[in-house]
Amino acid sequence: QKEVEQNSGPLSVPEGAIASLNCTYSDRGSQSFFWYRQYSGKSPELIMSIYSNGDKEDGRFTAQLNKASQYVSLLIRDSQPSDSATYLCAVTFSGSARQLTFGSGTQLTVLP
Amino acid sequence: ETGVTQTPRHLVMGMTNKKSLKCEQHLGHNAMYWYKQSAKKPLELMFVYNFKEQTENNSVPSRFSPECPNSSHLFLHLHTLQPEDSALYLCASSQSGGTSGWDTQYFGPGTRLTVL
């Protein structure tokens, strides 16, 4: 069974710190990886997509992909209280270009 | 309107009612999706439509019936639902064959459904 695993948290970090969110996936042939942010009562909002091994940076966010180890991570630098949300990892497994499989999400709290 | 819109935003219905959820995307995408999000559970994909054709049906009970009249509109018809069907129902859209070669999905605000 194709799975995406995340620590449910909650993860608490102080304001200004780096928040590190991790995700592992079961299918070695997976090709595309996404991080979504979901505020309580709201819909998921795309933060980052990553397709190649290595790092991808966008503002305060950095996605890191290691296909050999089958994990993808999201780093949030200079964390702000407004970053407090649930972060969802999503993976497109091989052979299913349009079917995203989501992890259960990691709840992040940034303490002022 | 921009992005992906959904109506209604909230819906309360009895188990014998029939209702419909509506989704409209203003992004020019060619694929649309229905997801269910229950408390403490991962997002569950229900249906996928590509160019108005249903390409995925993830073992969804027949009391949920999708309809996609064109690439911009998607409906989810509901009848004889159960209390355990109470959840947030999310619509998403994507453009297949984008520059990355893989779809990036954009979500609507969702419909919060309560079945009494």
Side-chain angles (χ1 to χ4, degrees):
Chain A
Q1 185 166 348
K2 297 177 177 177
E3 295 181 338
V4 178
E5 299 286 343
Q6 295 181 255
N7 288 329
S8 61
L11 172 66
S12 294
V13 300
E15 184 174 356
I18 295 175
S20 178
L21 305 164
N22 299 312
C23 172
T24 59
Y25 56 94
S26 61
D27 183 6
R28 186 173 292 276
S30 298
Q31 296 291 329
S32 56
F33 309 85
F34 304 88
W35 283 99
Y36 286 84
R37 176 177 62 197
Q38 187 172 24
Y39 293 112
S40 180
K42 303 294 185 182
S43 63
E45 171 192 10
L46 181 70
I47 299 177
M48 298 275 288
S49 59
I50 187 167
Y51 308 99
S52 304
N53 277 330
D55 295 359
K56 179 181 178 182
E57 186 174 319
D58 183 0
R60 295 186 297 111
F61 298 96
T62 299
Q64 299 175 318
L65 175 60
N66 185 324
K67 290 187 177 181
S69 300
Q70 295 174 232
Y71 84 79
V72 56
S73 63
L74 180 70
L75 301 178
I76 306 175
R77 290 182 301 281
D78 188 24
S79 296
Q80 302 296 309
S82 58
D83 294 326
S84 299
T86 297
Y87 288 80
L88 304 174
C89 173
V91 176
T92 302
F93 289 118
S94 55
S96 184
R98 282 177 203 88
Q99 186 158 338
L100 279 180
T101 300
F102 283 83
S104 56
T106 298
Q107 185 180 345
L108 172 67
T109 301
V110 180
L111 304 170
Chain B
E1 294 278 15
T2 60
V4 182
T5 59
Q6 291 186 242
T7 55
R9 297 293 305 278
H10 301 272
L11 178 62
V12 179
M13 59 187 290
M15 288 190 286
T16 59
N17 292 159
K18 290 184 180 181
K19 296 288 184 183
S20 295
L21 310 184
K22 178 183 176 182
C23 174
E24 183 173 0
Q25 60 94 2
H26 309 267
L27 300 169
H29 290 166
N30 55 20
M32 298 186 77
Y33 314 76
W34 279 118
Y35 287 88
K36 174 183 178 182
Q37 188 174 37
S38 305
K40 306 299 182 184
K41 288 187 178 180
L43 275 164
E44 301 171 55
L45 178 66
M46 300 175 73
F47 301 104
V48 181
Y49 277 83
N50 187 34
F51 291 101
K52 304 187 300 176
E53 298 297 323
Q54 187 179 127
T55 58
E56 300 278 351
N57 176 341
N58 281 1
S59 302
V60 180
S62 59
R63 57 186 184 269
F64 295 93
S65 175
E67 178 190 1
C68 187
N70 55 60
S71 294
S72 299
H73 294 85
L74 185 64
F75 295 89
L76 188 62
H77 304 298
L78 316 171
H79 63 98
T80 59
L81 294 192
Q82 304 298 310
E84 59 265 29
D85 297 322
S86 298
L88 179 67
Y89 288 86
L90 291 159
C91 174
S93 71
S94 70
Q95 179 63 34
S96 60
T99 54
S100 69
W102 299 93
D103 295 348
T104 300
Q105 296 183 23
Y106 297 89
F107 286 84
T111 295
R112 175 68 62 184
L113 174 66
T114 302
V115 181
L116 301 176

